Amino acid sequence: GGKVAINTTIINFNKEKMKITWATREIFPDENVSFFYTFDEGKHQVWKPCTTYLLDQDYNSGCLFKTEGPTLAISIRSSNGSKELFFKRLKADFYIKPRPPENVTFFWEEDTVTVSCNKPKRNALCLTLELQYKSKFDKTWQSRISKCCSVGEQGFDPRKCYSFRVRLWRLRQCNVKNYSSDWEAETFWKNGMLLDSCDDDVTPQSKTVIVLSCSQAVLLMMLILLILLCKWQRVQMSVLPAIPDPKYPFADLFNDHNGNLQEWLDKNDHVVLQTKLEYEEPESITEAESQQEDGKNSDKQGPLEKIFTFSGAAENNDGKAAEIACLIPASNTAAPFAGFHILMNDDMYVML
């Protein structure tokens, strides 16, 4: 070093260009320093001023210049160049940053992929090739490193789309700093086929999942609303039962009699009575026939005592209908019925 210790960063871009940066703002915050360099050795050194400065808030903080040899000497001086603030001599080949791999190829065989690149003309033994890959379902990159200039990996799913990128590393035994190259352009592969991107591999599936999820949600909501509607109707019917409209079963009461109940009853009383008689008469005939058959069976066992019930008309208060009456026949009277003559005594009666 020189009179002042200054932190510097030195990068030799594949023996083509040098980049040297320094941090003098902490030591000389109000002074803009100048930079000189030389690749010459011995007494006849020719110092060259920096022609391309890197600036930090309008202050010189670095220099770019062409690589001209393996040995380099640098000097950081005051703004006018009269006072040297820092001096350092170094091996430029110990600060090499390799260039990105060239002519990268991918070879697929089932679930195994092998990546290779062109082998550099110089110092290939000081380089390693790194492969990184991930699918859309991976959060971080998976990494594999092998000697220059081929690396392989297996276990790839042919149904997934993968992103690949590669770069070269300079081994530490060949460098002071373990520099790597920039990443080669990222590529996308699926089942051994090169794609423009992996977006198409995820977007359709995501849209399908969204459509199905929305459809299921809508159907579920409709089902829930239908169930709630049915339950609400049941609750409403139990709490507030429907009141029947009387104008449908009693249409003639409202249409013909204008709602006059007494007039409607007077007119329809004989209809009610006739309906009642029609309803009771079949039962009476059936009962009589049943009793007649029982009488035939009982003739063989002893004296006949039979009861016949007939449907009769009952008299109402208005005299328009007859009430049910019991007619008691005279003793030992013969009553004809259905072609038969039946002897009736005092203990028998007929209902009309």
Side-chain angles (χ1 to χ4, degrees):
K3 298 179 180 179
V4 180
I6 300 177
N7 294 328
T8 59
T9 300
I10 303 168
I11 302 176
N12 184 0
F13 292 98
N14 199 39
K15 296 184 178 182
E16 297 175 357
K17 184 182 292 186
M18 298 291 300
K19 176 183 177 181
I20 298 178
T21 57
W22 56 84
T24 57
R25 295 296 305 278
E26 295 85 354
I27 303 174
F28 307 105
D30 300 327
E31 185 176 359
N32 199 2
V33 298
S34 58
F35 180 83
F36 294 84
Y37 67 95
T38 181
F39 287 95
D40 298 331
E41 298 183 25
K43 297 180 179 179
H44 304 285
Q45 295 179 347
V46 178
W47 291 92
K48 298 180 180 181
C50 179
T51 57
T52 305
Y53 278 104
L54 302 177
L55 301 180
D56 178 14
Q57 298 180 5
D58 296 331
Y59 283 86
N60 297 334
S61 61
C63 181
L64 288 175
F65 54 95
K66 184 180 178 180
T67 303
E68 299 176 0
T71 304
L72 173 65
I74 61 175
S75 176
I76 298 176
R77 303 176 185 180
S78 59
S79 58
N80 57 12
S82 60
K83 181 179 179 181
E84 186 175 75
L85 305 175
F86 178 80
F87 173 83
K88 185 175 183 178
R89 185 178 297 275
L90 53 94
K91 290 289 184 179
D93 290 347
F94 288 168
Y95 297 89
I96 294 178
K97 177 182 175 68
R99 66 175 61 183
E102 299 177 349
N103 193 22
V104 179
T105 59
F106 290 80
F107 176 74
W108 288 80
E109 186 176 3
E110 295 181 353
D111 66 338
T112 303
V113 61
T114 303
V115 183
S116 59
C117 65
N118 287 349
K119 193 173 184 178
K121 297 179 180 179
R122 297 177 295 178
N123 301 322
L125 295 177
C126 290
L127 298 174
T128 59
L129 181 64
E130 180 183 12
L131 168 67
Q132 286 191 350
Y133 61 91
K134 70 175 182 177
S135 70
K136 286 296 182 179
F137 305 98
D138 299 325
K139 296 182 179 180
T140 58
W141 290 91
Q142 305 294 323
S143 181
R144 293 291 181 272
I145 298 178
S146 181
K147 64 180 181 179
C148 188
C149 288
S150 178
V151 60
E153 181 62 13
Q154 61 183 5
F156 291 97
D157 190 344
R159 298 170 298 179
K160 295 181 180 180
C161 180
Y162 292 89
S163 304
F164 290 91
R165 62 183 185 181
V166 292
R167 64 180 174 180
L168 290 172
W169 279 92
R170 179 85 171 179
L171 297 177
R172 185 169 290 276
Q173 56 264 31
C174 300
N175 251 33
V176 174
K177 294 290 185 179
N178 191 22
Y179 286 137
S180 68
S181 70
D182 295 332
W183 290 104
E184 177 64 9
E186 187 175 349
T187 56
F188 308 93
W189 296 80
K190 180 179 181 181
N191 196 20
M193 296 182 61
L194 180 64
L195 304 177
D196 294 334
S197 68
C198 286
D199 295 336
D200 296 337
D201 186 53
V202 178
T203 303
Q205 183 178 3
S206 302
K207 289 183 178 179
T208 303
V209 171
I210 293 174
V211 171
L212 290 177
S213 301
C214 294
S215 301
Q216 292 179 354
V218 171
L219 291 176
L220 183 59
M221 291 180 63
M222 292 177 62
L223 180 60
I224 293 175
L225 290 176
L226 184 60
I227 294 174
L228 292 176
L229 181 61
C230 293
K231 289 189 175 181
W232 169 248
Q233 289 180 351
R234 291 182 180 179
V235 172
Q236 189 176 19
M237 291 178 63
S238 61
V239 176
L240 299 173
I243 300 175
D245 193 344
K247 68 180 180 180
Y248 293 107
F250 304 101
D252 54 346
L253 172 62
F254 295 94
N255 297 334
D256 301 338
H257 302 281
N258 199 22
N260 191 330
L261 181 61
Q262 187 60 44
E263 180 181 342
W264 179 79
L265 289 176
D266 293 341
K267 184 176 180 181
N268 292 277
D269 196 14
H270 67 282
V271 178
V272 176
L273 178 61
Q274 182 178 356
T275 303
K276 180 178 179 181
L277 292 176
E278 290 177 355
Y279 175 76
E280 292 180 352
E281 186 173 357
E283 294 183 354
S284 302
I285 296 173
T286 303
E287 184 178 355
E289 291 178 354
S290 176
Q291 291 177 359
Q292 182 178 0
E293 291 178 0
D294 293 341
K296 291 180 180 180
N297 295 332
S298 61
D299 285 343
K300 300 178 182 179
Q301 298 177 358
L304 293 176
E305 291 184 359
K306 299 188 178 295
I307 302 175
F308 293 90
T309 306
F310 299 92
S311 61
E315 293 184 356
N316 54 11
N317 296 330
D318 298 335
K320 295 182 181 181
E323 294 182 354
I324 296 175
C326 295
L327 300 180
I328 303 176
S331 178
N332 297 327
T333 301
F337 178 78
F340 295 93
H341 293 276
I342 302 171
L343 184 63
M344 305 179 65
N345 55 23
D346 296 338
D347 296 328
M348 303 179 64
Y349 62 93
V350 176
M351 295 185 64
L352 299 178

